[in-house]
Amino acid sequence: MHGIVAQETARLHSGASSWSWWLELAARHGRYGFGNTLLIHVQMPTATEVRPYEEWRARGRQVRKGESGIRILSPRGVPRPVFDISQTSQADGGALEPPQGPTPDQAWERLRRLAVDQGFQVDRNSGWTYTGPPERLISIPAELDGPSAAAALGHQLGHIRLHGECHDGTTACHGVRRVEADSIAYLLLTHLGLRPAGLSFPAVARWAGSDPRANPPAAIRTVADRILRTTARLRKDLNSLPPLGIPALTGTVPRAERPMAPTAPSKSGKVSRDELAELQLAAHDFFISRLRGSWVPAYLSERGFDLGVQRQWEIGYAPKAWQLLIRHLRRLGHSDEAIVASGLARRARRSGRLYDTFRDRAMLAIRTCDGAIAGFIGRRRADVAGPKYLNSPETPLFRKGELLFGLYEARERLAAGARPVLVEGPLDAIAVNTAAPQEYAAVATCGTALTDTQLGVLGRLTDLPRTGLIIALDGDPAGQAALERAWTSVLAKFPGRIDAVVLPDGRDPADLLHRHGPAGVRKALSSTVPLPALIIDAAAGRAGGNLESPEDRMAAVHAATAITARLPPHQVAHQVARLAQRLNVEPAIVTGALTAAVTSRIGSVDELARQDFPLPLRPPTPPDDPALTPADSPARLRPQNAKHP
């Protein structure tokens, strides 16, 4: 079954099946998720409405004897049968009556009411003067006929729910953003009984990417599931509106703000990964919807991130309230147990009441490689006390040591050969990607130590031995300490070239963008030093101080060679020559100390002799200092060579 899904997804990517074709399937079977829409079609292309056996019985219909079930995958990945309506009959023998859909004008009115219910005003060139906030106005051209106007309004509703704002025409609406909004409009109109008009879709490969390392099938699945989840919520909102002919509520708090009683905790004691993922997506939509009117857009613009960048990275805002998100998630039907398990809320120790984890913060989503939201990082405003960044707590979805902020957003550029840049904070990653999007692709550890898992995930999207890696951590002591920890724990055996950006004390890439613009960021990235040399020199400096005495220089030699011994063999010879020149000692002394360090690491001289580890007994002479030519050395290591010189 998974193979069928992969095969049909590949057909979408290649163009053998169009996106419009899939949307027709999604209109009928989207409630079961992207993969199941494909499974249902392969098994019964004529299926129009499929439900489990129990649902048909509850609706007064009976699955006919001998009918074979259509196999789909449950949220837990277990096959289960469903049946098409053509495989059933009325329990009382009655005929099935076709549903009566609304007229185009009625569909328009229902969508207009939905927009108003979300706090927006809709103008179809009515001639009236709107004086409210411009971002809350949806303008629909008057020349559009009923179905086309409804499609345009559905497109805007898709933008609002997915991207936090309507498209005002001042910025380009293309690529995956347009595909998402138009797809939602298509599904909303189909739900209302209209044939979508004026909607066309580009080839899937144009927005999902074409390089295999960018994992286009995962991008297709992620976009499709975002469309299906968003449409399901909009359909639910549509169905909750008063019937046409009954005046909608006016002059009251929008429905999304009306308090509702908390839902009871789940009796199962467990929260599924699917519900946790749904909670993260719902919170993301909530944060985006709260961005307008907050301090975040002005703050980011002042830091060098204009509105286009903010939209591209889908930055949101967590309101300064204790339970606003919690109430929103409860209204969507999630239990308190699930909300706490998602990391979006915490429970007070004394009272046991829930409070929002993120309050009054700029919110950035951290995604997995396939685009699913795993958690968030919140940036506080500069004039407020507290931690600058706050991560989601550990959950089954959010494991800090396995995630890199910006990896999903940079996947296509990484696959195309852009050089990876490792930074500390999310705004640093956005700064690098904004300043030099063609040459570099930045990802952030978000304040955690770099792990082998993170490096492995990065390596699956790009050829790290070829591109190498740039490290651009903060210029303060904490950033330098993090650099050395990353070297010791992960990077010492990195197969490619590693360079470091030496930033001024207290500066980071986001500060450079703020103070010096994109040119300042690009200049810093082009002024790098090899990371091994930086780490080795830092260790030598701590041990040897100002190198005034022979004892100081020998202490520096031993500290430096202890790190040099961990390098890949092809990098060792250069470091021996460089250290000898920098510390003003004979190369043979450095070689002897290095031999002792390697011997100590491996355990014995006999074991060392069995290793294929070519120690630099004849280190190359730097071209600018011929006096450093070492004396002839034996071709093989002997025990006396491993002694302290």
Side-chain angles (χ1 to χ4, degrees):
M1 294 173 72
H2 287 292
I4 290 173
V5 174
Q7 168 188 297
E8 295 302 309
T9 304
R11 287 176 58 82
L12 279 169
H13 183 252
S14 68
S17 300
S18 68
W19 193 248
S20 298
W21 168 83
W22 176 76
L23 286 173
E24 291 183 9
L25 299 182
R28 299 196 295 268
H29 316 306
R31 61 180 291 208
Y32 298 106
F34 170 71
N36 285 330
T37 62
L38 303 175
L39 286 172
I40 293 170
H41 171 77
V42 167
Q43 296 171 79
M44 185 180 287
T46 59
T48 58
E49 182 179 2
V50 300
R51 297 181 182 275
Y53 178 83
E54 295 77 11
E55 281 196 31
W56 284 126
R57 290 198 62 182
R59 289 172 172 263
R61 301 192 67 82
Q62 182 65 46
V63 177
R64 290 191 294 268
K65 187 176 181 180
E67 294 285 354
S68 298
I70 303 167
R71 296 286 171 171
I72 65 173
L73 292 168
S74 73
R76 296 179 179 272
V78 179
R80 64 178 178 131
V82 292
F83 299 88
D84 183 51
I85 193 170
S86 64
Q87 299 175 286
T88 70
S89 59
Q90 283 285 96
D92 57 5
L96 181 66
E97 295 183 2
Q100 297 296 323
T103 65
D105 288 341
Q106 290 173 330
W108 161 267
E109 180 59 21
R110 291 189 64 183
L111 291 174
R112 188 195 67 79
R113 285 195 176 193
L114 178 59
V116 172
D117 196 61
Q118 303 291 326
F120 288 81
Q121 296 296 329
V122 180
D123 178 24
R124 197 174 173 185
N125 199 21
S126 59
W128 67 298
T129 301
Y130 174 75
T131 58
E135 67 272 9
R136 310 302 290 181
L137 177 65
I138 302 175
S139 297
I140 304 296
E143 63 271 16
L144 296 181
D145 59 16
S148 298
L153 183 52
H155 175 98
Q156 297 287 21
L157 288 168
H159 272 306
I160 291 167
R161 185 57 66 96
L162 265 182
H163 309 130
E165 60 187 357
C166 58
H167 179 249
D168 57 7
T170 60
T171 58
C173 177
H174 55 74
V176 70
R177 287 171 62 94
R178 180 164 188 169
V179 169
E180 289 175 335
D182 276 349
S183 298
I184 291 169
Y186 184 106
L187 296 177
L188 284 177
L189 293 185
T190 304
H191 170 67
L192 293 172
L194 294 182
R195 184 67 183 173
L199 298 176
S200 61
F201 299 91
V204 172
R206 288 179 57 186
W207 53 264
S210 56
D211 193 305
R213 290 173 295 181
N215 200 355
I220 294 170
R221 289 193 299 270
T222 299
V223 169
D225 282 332
R226 278 167 57 87
I227 290 167
L228 293 176
R229 291 192 188 102
T230 304
T231 303
R233 290 196 294 271
L234 287 170
R235 287 175 57 173
K236 183 178 179 181
D237 292 344
L238 272 174
N239 295 337
S240 68
L241 293 174
L244 294 178
I246 299 178
L249 293 174
T250 58
T252 61
V253 178
R255 179 181 49 78
E257 298 296 330
R258 296 173 202 151
M260 293 181 64
T263 56
S266 168
K267 295 180 180 180
S268 66
K270 295 182 179 180
V271 181
S272 70
R273 290 179 65 91
D274 285 337
E275 183 172 8
L276 292 176
E278 180 69 21
L279 278 159
Q280 302 301 325
L281 188 58
H284 181 56
D285 294 341
F286 174 82
F287 294 143
I288 290 177
S289 70
R290 299 288 169 162
L291 182 65
R292 293 286 189 177
S294 71
W295 56 267
V296 174
Y299 165 77
L300 293 175
S301 295
E302 196 267 339
R303 294 291 303 272
F305 307 110
D306 60 26
L307 292 178
V309 173
Q310 296 175 34
R311 291 166 183 159
Q312 177 188 352
W313 288 85
E314 298 185 348
I315 300 175
Y317 172 67
K320 188 178 181 180
W322 288 95
Q323 286 195 322
L324 206 56
L325 175 60
I326 292 169
R327 292 200 297 270
H328 174 73
L329 297 176
R330 284 170 175 169
R331 280 190 292 272
L332 295 178
H334 297 288
S335 68
D336 285 2
E337 175 192 26
I339 297 171
V340 172
S342 71
L344 295 167
R346 302 173 188 261
R347 195 177 294 276
R349 294 181 180 178
R350 293 186 178 181
S351 65
R353 296 187 63 188
L354 301 191
Y355 61 91
D356 291 342
T357 300
F358 300 100
R359 301 180 305 281
D360 195 25
R361 287 180 177 267
M363 298 301 297
L364 302 104
I366 304 178
R367 300 177 183 272
T368 61
C369 285
D370 59 4
I373 297 176
F376 297 92
I377 182 167
R379 200 329 180 160
R380 66 164 170 79
R381 57 193 305 171
D383 56 348
V384 174
K388 179 187 292 187
Y389 287 106
L390 179 64
N391 285 334
S392 289
E394 293 278 325
T395 71
L397 299 181
F398 186 81
R399 302 183 187 278
K400 290 183 289 186
E402 301 174 0
L403 298 166
L404 288 167
F405 175 84
L407 188 63
Y408 172 74
E409 290 81 358
R411 69 194 187 285
E412 292 187 18
R413 286 181 288 117
L414 286 167
R419 192 170 188 198
V421 180
L422 187 69
V423 297
E424 184 171 354
L427 294 185
D428 299 328
I430 296 175
V432 172
N433 289 318
T434 300
Q438 303 302 321
E439 187 176 359
Y440 303 103
V443 296
T445 61
C446 297
T448 62
L450 181 67
T451 66
D452 289 313
T453 302
Q454 290 171 325
L455 202 60
V457 171
L458 181 61
R460 288 199 292 270
L461 294 181
T462 189
D463 185 2
L464 284 176
R466 180 181 63 84
T467 64
L469 186 65
I470 294 179
I471 310 292
L473 300 184
D474 295 1
D476 55 17
Q480 296 303 311
L483 192 63
E484 295 189 32
R485 287 196 303 271
W487 169 262
T488 302
S489 61
V490 177
L491 296 175
K493 295 184 178 181
F494 183 79
R497 176 184 174 186
I498 309 179
D499 292 324
V501 176
V502 181
L503 297 170
D505 187 16
R507 294 285 183 264
D508 55 36
D511 290 323
L512 293 179
L513 181 68
H514 177 211
R515 296 173 181 271
H516 305 291
V521 177
R522 291 193 294 268
K523 181 179 179 181
L525 292 174
S526 64
S527 304
T528 60
V529 296
L531 179 61
L534 192 67
I535 299 297
I536 291 170
D537 289 352
R542 286 194 299 269
N546 55 16
L547 304 176
E548 290 183 351
S549 67
E551 291 79 11
D552 289 341
R553 290 196 292 274
M554 283 309 304
V557 166
H558 287 294
T561 53
I563 296 176
T564 306
R566 304 175 65 91
L567 289 174
H570 67 276
Q571 298 183 20
V572 174
H574 169 72
Q575 294 301 330
V576 169
R578 196 184 63 82
L579 279 171
Q581 183 178 23
R582 181 181 184 277
L583 302 178
N584 194 25
V585 298
E586 291 293 328
I589 293 177
V590 179
T591 298
L594 179 62
T595 303
V598 175
T599 303
S600 175
R601 285 192 64 219
I602 296 180
S604 71
V605 174
D606 291 336
E607 186 176 352
L608 175 63
R610 293 193 295 269
Q611 303 294 319
D612 184 17
F613 193 94
L615 287 177
L617 298 178
R618 293 179 181 268
T621 302
D624 57 345
D625 193 348
L628 290 177
T629 303
D632 289 341
S633 303
R636 283 278 183 185
L637 285 176
R638 293 184 175 87
Q640 63 267 27
N641 290 6
K643 294 180 180 179
H644 193 288

